[in-house]
C-alpha cells in the first residue's frame, strides 16, 4: 500500500480501511525482547497517519496467518502454548506504538482456516498434517492468545486509548438439505458450531460448543484414546476467556447445504470425521468461476441473525465479504461481482432491520493481491492489478464505481436509480478495458525505450570518443 492506494480509498469514499500488521516484519524473531524493527514501526505509523489525514479510520488486524518462522522452528508455533505469550508481547508493542491513533483492533483473522490448512490438511504454512489433533491444539492456544491480548488492552491501554478489541471469524452459512429431517437440521447446526462456535463460544460463553465436546470426546474414546483430542479449558481459563471481545468480526462469502453422514471412528481422527456431515451446493446457484464460491445472498442474512441470537446480540463488524473473478477473466466489466455486492449488502441491510447490531461492513478486497495457495490467480479486488508490469498499475473495475454509489447512498435508494448505477459502471469499464488492452503495448514500448535510449547514448559516446581519437591523431 502507498499514497496511490490511499487515493483509491478516497475515490471509493470508504469510511474505514482494514489492514494487517506483519508480526515478523515488526519482530523478526517473533520475540519482542530480541529485536524490534524500527523501520517496520515507522512504515506502519506513517501509513496510519496517511489514512487519518484522508479521514479514513484504520481497522488493524494483529495476525493474519504470518507467524515468525523462528517461533515455528524453535517452539513448534501454535502447537506450543508459549506462542500465546509471545503474541501477547507483540500485541502490547502494537497497542503501545499505534494505539494512540488506532481504536479498532482485530487480534486474529479467520483462525479456523489458519489451523485447518496449517495443521490438518497442510495446504498452508507450516504445512503439517496432524489430522484430528494439531488443529484443535493450535486453536486452543490461539483462543488463549486472543484472551491475553484483550486482557492486556483492557488493563493497560483502554483507559487512555479508549479503543475496541475483537476477533474476526469466517464462516459460510449451513442450510439443512431437508428442513423437515431432524438429522439434517442437527447436521447444519453442527456445521455452524464446528465452524463459528469453535472460536466464538469460548469467547462469549466460556467453553467449546457442547456438540464439539461430545462428538470429539466420543470418537476419541472409540479410537482408543484416554482423553479427548479436543483440549479442555480449566475453570479458571473459562472465566479468563469468557467476555474477551468488544465486538464480533464476521467474514462471510458463500453458503452450503448440509446433510448428515456418519464417518466410522476406525477411519482415524480428522476434522471431517468428527463433524459427521457432507457439504453440498445447489447447481442452480450462480457460479462465480471459483471452485468453492457461489453467490447465495440469503445465507448471509441467516448467518448474521444466528450470530446475534447465539452470542447475546454483540456489536458485529462484517470484516470480509466478496467474490473472486470468473475463471481467468481479465475484463474490468465484472457485472457478476456487481450482482454479488448488491445481493449481499441488501441481505445485510435486511439483517439490520431484523435487529442485528451491525456496526460496519468491509468488502474483500481493495486490490487484486496474493491469495495464499491460489497465488495471484484469484482476483477479489475492486481494482485490477497488472502484475506482469513492473509498476503494478491499478485499473478500476465496474464494481468499484458501483460500490462507491452504495457507500454514498448508504444503501439502495430505488430500483431505477440502482439500475442506472449498474449501466453507468459498465459503460465506464468498457473505456477502461481499452486502456488495459493497450497495456502490453505500452509496457513493451517502455521496455524498448529503457533499453534503446541507454544503448544509443552509449554508442554516441563511443563514436564521439573514436572521432576525437582520430582528430587528435591527425593533428599529431
Amino acid at each position: 500500500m502507498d499514497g496511490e492506494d490511499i487515493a483509491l480509498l478516497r475515490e471509493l469514499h470508504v469510511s474505514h480501511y482494514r489492514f494487517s500488521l506483519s508480526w515478523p516484519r515488526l519482530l523478526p524473531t517473533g520475540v519482542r525482547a530480541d529485536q524490534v524493527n524500527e523501520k517496520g514501526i515507522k512504515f506502519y505509523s506513517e501509513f496510519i497517519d496517511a489514512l487519518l489525514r484522508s479521514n479514513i479510520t484504520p481497522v488493524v488486524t494483529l495476525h493474519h496467518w504470518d507467524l515468525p518462522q523462528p517461533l515455528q522452528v524453535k517452539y513448534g508455533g501454535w502447537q506450543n502454548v508459549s506462542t500465546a505469550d509471545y503474541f501477547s508481547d507483540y500485541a502490547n508493542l502494537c497497542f503501545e506504538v499505534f494505539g494512540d491513533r488506532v481504536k479498532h483492533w482485530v487480534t486474529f483473522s479467520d483462525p479456523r482456516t489458519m489451523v485447518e490448512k496449517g495443521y490438518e490438511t497442510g495446504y498452508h504454512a507450516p504445512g503439517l498434517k496432524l489430522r484430528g489433533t494439531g488443529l484443535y491444539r493450535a486453536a486452543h492456544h490461539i483462543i488463549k492468545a486472543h484472551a491475553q491480548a484483550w486482557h492486556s488492552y483492557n488493563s493497560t491501554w483502554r483507559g487512555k486509548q479508549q479503543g475496541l478489541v475483537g476477533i474476526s471469524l469466517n464462516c459460510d452459512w449451513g442450510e439443512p438439505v431437508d428442513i423437515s429431517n431432524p438429522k439434517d437440521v442437527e447436521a447444519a447446526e453442527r456445521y455452524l458450531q464446528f465452524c463459528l462456535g469453535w472460536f466464538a463460544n469460548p469467547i462469549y460463553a466460556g467453553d467449546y460448543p457442547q456438540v464439539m465436546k461430545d462428538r470429539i470426546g466420543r470418537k476419541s474414546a472409540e479410537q482408543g484414546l484416554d482423553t479427548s483430542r479436543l483440549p479442555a479449558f480449566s475453570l479458571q481459563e473459562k472465566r479468563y476467556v469468557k467476555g474477551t471481545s468488544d465486538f464480533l468480526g464476521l467474514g462471510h462469502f458463500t453458503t452450503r447445504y448440509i446433510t448428515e453422514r456418519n464417518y466410522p471412528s476406525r477411519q482415524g481422527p480428522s476434522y471431517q470425521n468428527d463433524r459427521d456431515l457432507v457439504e453440498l451446493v445447489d447447481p442452480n446457484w450462480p457460479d462465480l468461476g471459483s471452485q468453492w464460491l457461489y453467490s447465495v445472498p440469503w445465507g448471509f442474512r441467516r448467518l448474521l441473525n444466528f450470530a446475534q441470537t447465539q452470542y447475546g446480540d454483540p456489536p458485529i463488524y462484517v470484516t470480509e465479504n466478496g467474490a473472486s473473478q470468473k475463471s481467468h477473466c481479465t475484463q474490468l466489466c465484472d457485472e457478476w461481482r456487481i450482482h454479488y455486492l448488491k445481493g449481499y449488502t441488501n441481505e445485510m441491510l435486511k439483517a439490520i432491520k431484523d435487529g442485528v447490531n451491525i456496526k460496519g461492513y468491509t468488502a474483500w478486497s481493495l486490490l487484486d493481491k496474493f491469495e495464499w495457495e491460489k497465488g495471484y490467480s484469484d482476483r477479489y479486488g475492486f481494482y485490477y492489478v497488472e502484475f506482469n508490469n513492473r509498476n503494478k498499475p491499478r485499473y478500476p473495475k465496474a464494481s468499484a464505481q458501483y460500490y462507491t454509489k452504495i457507500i454514498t447512498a448508504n444503501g439502495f435508494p430505488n430500483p431505477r436509480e440502482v439500475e442506472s448505477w449498474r449501466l453507468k459502471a459498465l459503460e465506464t469499464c468498457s473505456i477502461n478495458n481499452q486502456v488495459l488492452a493497450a497495456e502490453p503495448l505500452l509496457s513493451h514500448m517502455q521496455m524498448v525505450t529503457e533499453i534503446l535510449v541507454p544503448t544509443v547514448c552509449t554508442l554516441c559516446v563511443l563514436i564521439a570518443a573514436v572521432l576525437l581519437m582520430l582528430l587528435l591523431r591527425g593533428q599529431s
Side-chain angles (χ1 to χ4, degrees):
M1 290 290 291
D2 55 24
E4 179 190 345
D5 295 325
I6 290 176
L8 299 182
L9 290 170
R10 288 198 301 268
E11 196 175 277
L12 285 175
H13 296 168
V14 298
S15 62
H16 61 280
Y17 180 66
R18 177 177 170 243
F19 68 96
S20 303
L21 302 176
S22 172
W23 185 355
R25 187 176 194 173
L26 294 175
L27 301 175
T29 68
V31 180
R32 184 177 181 179
D34 288 350
Q35 178 193 356
V36 176
N37 178 12
E38 295 299 335
K39 288 183 179 178
I41 299 283
K42 183 174 181 287
F43 170 82
Y44 287 123
S45 192
E46 289 176 351
F47 181 63
I48 290 166
D49 287 342
L51 287 173
L52 291 170
R53 281 196 301 272
S54 295
N55 293 317
I56 298 169
T57 300
V59 179
V60 179
T61 298
L62 291 171
H63 188 50
H64 198 149
W65 309 355
D66 54 341
L67 184 75
Q69 182 65 10
L71 293 184
Q72 184 64 42
V73 173
K74 193 172 181 181
Y75 302 105
W78 289 111
Q79 293 297 289
N80 192 323
V81 71
S82 64
T83 302
D85 295 325
Y86 292 120
F87 176 80
S88 183
D89 290 342
Y90 158 64
N92 266 295
L93 169 67
C94 297
F95 298 150
E96 180 183 327
V97 297
F98 307 126
D100 57 329
R101 291 154 292 162
V102 175
K103 306 303 176 186
H104 297 78
W105 294 98
V106 176
T107 53
F108 291 88
S109 182
D110 191 12
R112 180 187 58 84
T113 299
M114 180 170 77
V115 299
E116 187 181 348
K117 292 194 173 183
Y119 297 91
E120 174 83 1
T121 65
Y123 291 154
H124 287 181
L128 301 178
K129 296 181 180 180
L130 310 172
R131 295 197 180 275
T133 57
L135 78 169
Y136 296 133
R137 191 181 303 116
H140 199 66
H141 299 152
I142 285 168
I143 292 165
K144 288 182 179 181
H146 161 81
Q148 278 183 245
W150 186 91
H151 279 288
S152 291
Y153 190 86
N154 198 49
S155 60
T156 307
W157 305 104
R158 191 186 300 276
K160 61 186 93 169
Q161 295 180 356
Q162 298 294 305
L164 302 171
V165 178
I167 191 167
S168 175
L169 306 176
N170 279 29
C171 195
D172 300 334
W173 174 249
E175 181 75 7
V177 167
D178 182 357
I179 199 78
S180 65
N181 183 341
K183 289 191 173 183
D184 280 1
V185 173
E186 286 175 20
E189 170 74 19
R190 193 160 62 247
Y191 171 87
L192 293 167
Q193 295 299 347
F194 268 79
C195 177
L196 186 60
W198 182 5
F199 290 87
N201 220 68
I203 290 168
Y204 285 96
D207 202 359
Y208 292 117
Q210 192 63 43
V211 69
M212 288 190 73
K213 294 196 293 182
D214 291 347
R215 288 258 162 179
I216 299 168
R218 175 174 59 79
K219 294 213 171 200
S220 297
E222 290 170 357
Q223 288 155 355
L225 301 174
D226 293 333
T227 58
S228 175
R229 289 178 283 104
L230 181 70
F233 291 110
S234 68
L235 187 60
Q236 183 180 359
E237 286 171 339
K238 289 176 184 178
R239 290 171 180 159
Y240 185 74
V241 170
K242 185 178 179 180
T244 56
S245 204
D246 302 319
F247 63 86
L248 174 62
L250 203 55
H252 174 78
F253 290 86
T254 191
T255 285
R256 291 289 183 268
Y257 276 119
I258 307 297
T259 189
E260 182 178 63
R261 177 179 293 176
N262 289 311
Y263 293 98
S265 297
R266 65 177 179 273
Q267 287 183 354
S270 74
Y271 179 63
Q272 178 65 20
N273 186 295
D274 290 336
R275 296 190 304 166
D276 278 334
L277 55 85
V278 176
E279 301 174 35
L280 304 169
V281 298
D282 186 331
N284 295 317
W285 287 344
D287 178 2
L288 304 180
S290 171
Q291 290 182 338
W292 67 279
L293 211 165
Y294 295 80
S295 182
V296 195
W298 52 261
F300 191 22
R301 181 184 183 182
R302 296 185 187 190
L303 183 70
L304 290 165
N305 275 279
F306 174 85
Q308 183 218 13
T309 55
Q310 194 80 11
Y311 308 118
D313 194 23
I316 293 175
Y317 287 84
V318 177
T319 45
E320 294 181 19
N321 176 243
S324 55
Q325 91 297 345
K326 251 185 176 176
S327 99
H328 298 288
C329 168
T330 56
Q331 295 295 308
L332 301 179
C333 298
D334 53 347
E335 188 171 5
W336 45 270
R337 185 180 277 113
I338 285 175
H339 288 302
Y340 181 98
L341 267 174
K342 180 184 178 184
Y344 276 77
T345 51
N346 198 41
E347 290 297 315
M348 179 182 65
L349 291 169
K350 290 177 186 176
I352 292 171
K353 286 191 172 183
D354 294 338
V356 181
N357 187 14
I358 299 169
K359 295 291 188 180
Y361 172 89
T362 305
W364 185 271
S365 58
L366 176 66
L367 306 173
D368 292 338
K369 61 189 183 319
F370 182 72
E371 291 287 346
W372 306 102
E373 79 273 24
K374 301 292 176 63
Y376 295 96
S377 62
D378 276 19
R379 293 175 175 268
Y380 286 84
F382 287 122
Y383 290 86
Y384 177 90
V385 178
E386 182 50 79
F387 293 113
N388 294 323
N389 185 311
R390 188 175 65 184
N391 296 321
K392 309 290 186 288
R394 285 83 155 118
Y395 297 91
K397 301 175 188 177
S399 56
Q401 186 173 340
Y402 189 83
Y403 188 50
T404 302
K405 294 290 188 182
I406 296 175
I407 292 170
T408 305
N410 202 29
F412 302 99
N414 62 71
R416 182 178 294 179
E417 187 172 348
V418 173
E419 176 62 11
S420 74
W421 296 350
R422 184 185 70 85
L423 295 174
K424 182 64 177 173
L426 293 174
E427 181 185 322
T428 306
C429 77
S430 298
I431 299 167
N432 291 332
N433 256 338
Q434 294 171 16
V435 177
L436 179 59
E439 173 61 34
L441 178 61
L442 294 171
S443 297
H444 183 69
M445 289 173 64
Q446 182 184 2
M447 184 177 68
V448 169
T449 303
E450 287 173 354
I451 295 169
L452 194 61
V453 170
T455 305
V456 170
C457 289
T458 304
L459 284 171
C460 288
V461 170
L462 287 171
I463 291 168
V466 169
L467 289 173
L468 182 62
M469 285 176 63
L470 291 171
L471 181 64
L472 291 172
R473 186 176 294 176
Q475 288 178 345
S476 63

